[in-house]
């Protein structure tokens, strides 16, 4: 379950990202892990047998992935010098619980570096399935110099020879970036090609790119409170055999604020949900087109709650309808999507600092 940020929108975050400047430059080289730490990583958790967790196969390859992953937007963004041991512990517990898919982006402040440092400091992480993003235009149409620098920087920060899934972030320059990612795939620099977005208004465009047949994965926003993707992206992905990663399954902590102090409904026991986190994630995983949900957190205890959704039965359509009905009965549910992200919480990382500096200058 997520922890902390000031009230903000994704557009606001991205408009402030350009002001990272010199602060971002010092992070480009790679994870801030000492040579000794890199050579003698901490003992990793004992792996959980694949059969013990809910898993989904990648449609394009048949490779099986645990159906709950780890997102890093804001939660893994820390200013250099701040303590990040709790984030290393998040990754450690994630692996112990059977998790494998970690999603990040160069736009997430120091998120890539934090992930890279965590993976470098924990044994048994070579099989972590890293999904990343590219946000690039170029000096002129079809110029790939910016994109190449971004890929090289991401590989260095993550200490990886290749990225498992590279996604065109928010469909930026998608007509150029998707063919470029296909070239990277052919060249062995990435394994799968994808595209992502987090707003309903772009879901039809995302579905259109699935329909063209060139994407191995899409990432889209979907939750019990926002089910618009069912009619477009999820439907098209199922028809075309495209993997689906889910962002915002908790609606940026707004779902937790809505149910704060409320007990789970009695029928949650029928799907093995012992927490609201598992309740919300099991709803998402109940859709057969979903490959992996990507809840974000910086709290190791909340991570454990999230990973509980990997076990026990999933809801069928009748149960999913019952879950929706219960949520619709709660005061404030109808207005939830218009409320601020991360209510009452903060993530004081590079992004927040850059935004504050930009507001002061403006």
């Amino acid at each position: 379950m997520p922890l902390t940020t000031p009230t903000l929108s994704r557009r606001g975050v991205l408009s402030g990202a350009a002001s990272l400047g010199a602060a971002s430059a010092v992070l480009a080289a790679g994870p801030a892990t000492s040579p000794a730490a890199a050579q003698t990583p901490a003992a990793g958790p004992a792996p959980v047998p694949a059969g013990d967790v809910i898993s989904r196969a990648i449609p394009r390859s048949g490779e099986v992935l645990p159906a709950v992953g780890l997102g890093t937007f804001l939660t893994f963004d820390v200013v250099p010098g701040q303590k990040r041991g709790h984030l290393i512990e998040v990754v450690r517990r994630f692996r112990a619980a059977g998790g494998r898919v970690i999603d990040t982006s160069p736009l997430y402040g120091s998120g890539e570096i934090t992930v890279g440092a965590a993976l470098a400091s924990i044994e048994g992480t070579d099989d972590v399935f890293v999904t990343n993003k590219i946000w690039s235009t170029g000096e002129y149409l079809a110029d790939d110099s910016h994109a190449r620098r971004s890929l090289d920087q991401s590989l260095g920060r993550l200490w990886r020879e290749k990225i498992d899934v590279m996604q065109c972030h928010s469909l930026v320059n998608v007509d150029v970036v998707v063919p470029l990612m296909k070239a990277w795939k052919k060249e062995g620099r990435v394994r799968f090609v994808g595209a992502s977005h987090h707003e309903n208004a772009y879901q039809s465009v995302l579905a259109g790119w699935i329909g063209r047949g060139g994407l191995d994965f899409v990432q889209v926003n979907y939750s019990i409170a926002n089910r618009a993707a069912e009619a477009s992206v999820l439907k098209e992905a199922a028809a075309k055999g495209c993997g689906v990663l889910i962002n915002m399954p908790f609606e940026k902590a707004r779902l937790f604020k809505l149910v704060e102090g409320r007990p789970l409904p009695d029928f949650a026991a029928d799907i093995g949900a012992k927490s609201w986190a598992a309740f919300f994630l099991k709803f998402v995983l109940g859709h057969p087109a979903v490959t992996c949900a990507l809840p974000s957190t910086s709290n190791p205890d909340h991570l454990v709650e999230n990973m509980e959704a990997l076990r026990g039965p999933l809801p069928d359509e009748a149960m999913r309808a019952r879950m929706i009905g219960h949520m619709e009965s709660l005061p404030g549910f109808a207005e939830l999507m218009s409320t601020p992200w991360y209510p009452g919480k903060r993530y004081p990382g590079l992004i927040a600092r850059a935004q504050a500096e930009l507001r002061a200058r403006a």
Side-chain angles (χ1 to χ4, degrees):
M1 187 171 72
L3 251 188
T4 41
T5 212
T7 297
L8 67 155
S9 69
R10 180 66 68 93
R11 283 196 181 97
V13 167
L14 298 180
S15 66
S19 64
L20 290 174
S24 292
V26 301
L27 299 172
T33 305
S34 68
Q39 293 169 11
T40 57
V48 174
D52 290 349
V53 301
I54 296 169
S55 302
R56 295 278 166 78
I58 300 173
R60 292 282 195 269
S61 69
E63 180 179 356
V64 175
L65 298 173
V68 176
L70 178 63
T72 59
F73 175 59
L74 293 185
T75 54
F76 272 50
D77 178 22
V78 293
V79 173
Q82 287 183 336
K83 294 181 179 180
R84 58 184 180 188
H86 61 295
L87 298 174
I88 306 296
E89 182 63 17
V90 164
V91 176
R92 191 186 309 278
R93 294 191 189 186
F94 174 72
R95 293 292 290 150
R100 186 176 167 210
V101 182
I102 299 181
D103 180 74
T104 190
S105 168
L107 270 77
Y108 294 175
S110 61
E112 283 183 317
I113 295 170
T114 305
V115 170
L119 297 181
S121 65
I122 301 171
E123 288 184 349
T125 59
D126 289 345
D127 69 336
V128 167
F129 190 89
V130 176
T131 68
N132 206 349
K133 305 180 183 74
I134 188 88
W135 169 290
S136 173
T137 53
E139 297 292 343
Y140 48 82
L141 185 63
D143 172 43
D144 72 343
S145 61
H146 294 187
R148 283 187 284 107
R149 287 197 297 271
S150 181
L151 174 61
D152 289 342
Q153 176 178 267
S154 292
L155 290 168
R157 288 175 168 181
L158 292 163
W159 285 14
R160 294 272 147 167
E161 294 183 352
K162 64 176 63 176
I163 304 295
D164 290 293
V165 182
M166 184 61 84
Q167 302 156 93
C168 181
H169 198 140
S170 298
L171 297 171
V172 171
N173 199 23
V174 63
D175 294 295
V176 172
V177 172
V178 166
L180 177 58
M181 291 189 299
K182 290 181 179 179
W184 288 345
K185 179 180 177 180
K186 184 178 180 181
E187 294 160 1
R189 305 204 75 190
V190 305
R191 294 182 59 206
F192 298 105
V193 172
S196 71
H197 219 291
H198 55 275
E199 294 183 358
N200 290 10
Y202 295 90
Q203 289 180 359
S204 61
V205 182
L206 197 55
W209 274 93
I210 299 171
R212 298 184 189 188
L215 298 181
D216 303 311
F217 274 91
V218 290
Q219 185 176 145
V220 67
N221 55 309
Y222 178 59
S223 73
I224 196 170
N226 184 357
R227 304 181 297 279
E230 292 178 350
S232 55
V233 175
L234 299 186
K235 181 178 180 180
E236 192 68 18
K240 296 295 183 179
C242 182
V244 177
L245 304 171
I246 298 297
N247 59 52
M248 299 176 65
F250 298 147
E251 293 299 337
K252 302 302 183 188
R254 292 177 291 184
L255 280 168
F256 293 115
K257 186 65 175 179
L258 180 74
V259 299
E260 191 174 39
R262 294 181 179 275
L264 284 166
D266 292 342
F267 63 81
D270 295 342
I271 55 171
K274 300 177 182 178
S275 67
W276 280 111
F279 184 88
F280 297 140
L281 285 171
K282 280 177 174 282
F283 175 85
V284 169
L285 299 182
H287 195 291
V290 172
T291 306
C292 184
L294 300 168
S296 303
T297 185
S298 61
N299 186 313
D301 292 335
H302 293 168
L303 181 282
V304 172
E305 289 186 359
N306 294 348
M307 300 306 285
E308 289 174 356
L310 271 179
R311 292 165 176 80
L314 289 176
D316 58 16
E317 283 306 302
M319 176 59 79
R320 278 164 50 88
R322 190 175 182 186
M323 295 166 79
I324 293 170
H326 179 78
M327 294 303 298
E328 289 177 340
S329 73
L330 300 182
F333 183 75
E335 296 76 36
L336 182 138
M337 298 304 298
S338 62
T339 59
W341 287 5
Y342 298 108
K345 302 177 185 296
R346 293 183 63 251
Y347 289 102
L350 289 177
I351 292 173
R353 186 171 73 178
Q355 287 184 307
E357 292 173 353
L358 185 58
R359 286 194 296 268
R361 292 172 60 196

